[in-house]
Amino acid sequence: MTSYRLVLDAKRRPTLPAQLLRDAELPEAKELVARVVGPGRIVLEDPRAALGRLQAAVAEGKRAKGVDASMESALLESRAEDAERE
């Protein structure tokens, strides 16, 4: 794994080297999501990667609970049941 040293300007903004973005398959990135993963560690990622991680976590949670219906159909079913009770 290649390491890149980043320099922060006077306003504490980093400049990401072009090769770093190419290596991460983000050469055209206009926006990245930043998150802290521990003391002294920041992760930058494509928002689509963050969304994919969230979707995978939801799918795993559904599998763990034995839920096989989509969340949309479960919500609509629940609303229909509520309407029948009124």
Side-chain angles (χ1 to χ4, degrees):
M1 178 168 22
T2 305
S3 294
Y4 296 90
R5 203 171 269 278
L6 305 179
V7 178
L8 304 178
D9 68 12
K11 293 185 179 182
R12 313 232 0 114
R13 295 176 296 197
T15 299
L16 303 178
Q19 187 60 47
L20 169 65
L21 295 172
R22 282 192 295 273
D23 289 352
E25 299 179 17
L26 295 169
E28 303 300 320
K30 299 292 182 210
E31 179 180 61
L32 297 173
V33 175
R35 61 187 168 88
V36 176
V37 294
R41 295 192 65 195
I42 298 170
V43 171
L44 299 175
E45 67 183 326
D46 184 318
R48 293 171 296 184
L51 176 60
R53 213 176 50 257
L54 174 64
Q55 290 170 331
V58 168
E60 178 56 35
K62 286 173 59 178
R63 275 192 298 278
K65 293 184 180 278
V67 175
D68 58 358
S70 75
M71 293 177 82
E72 178 184 15
S73 62
L75 175 63
L76 292 174
E77 186 176 306
S78 175
R79 285 186 177 175
E81 290 172 3
D82 289 344
E84 289 174 7
R85 290 184 202 141
E86 292 179 359

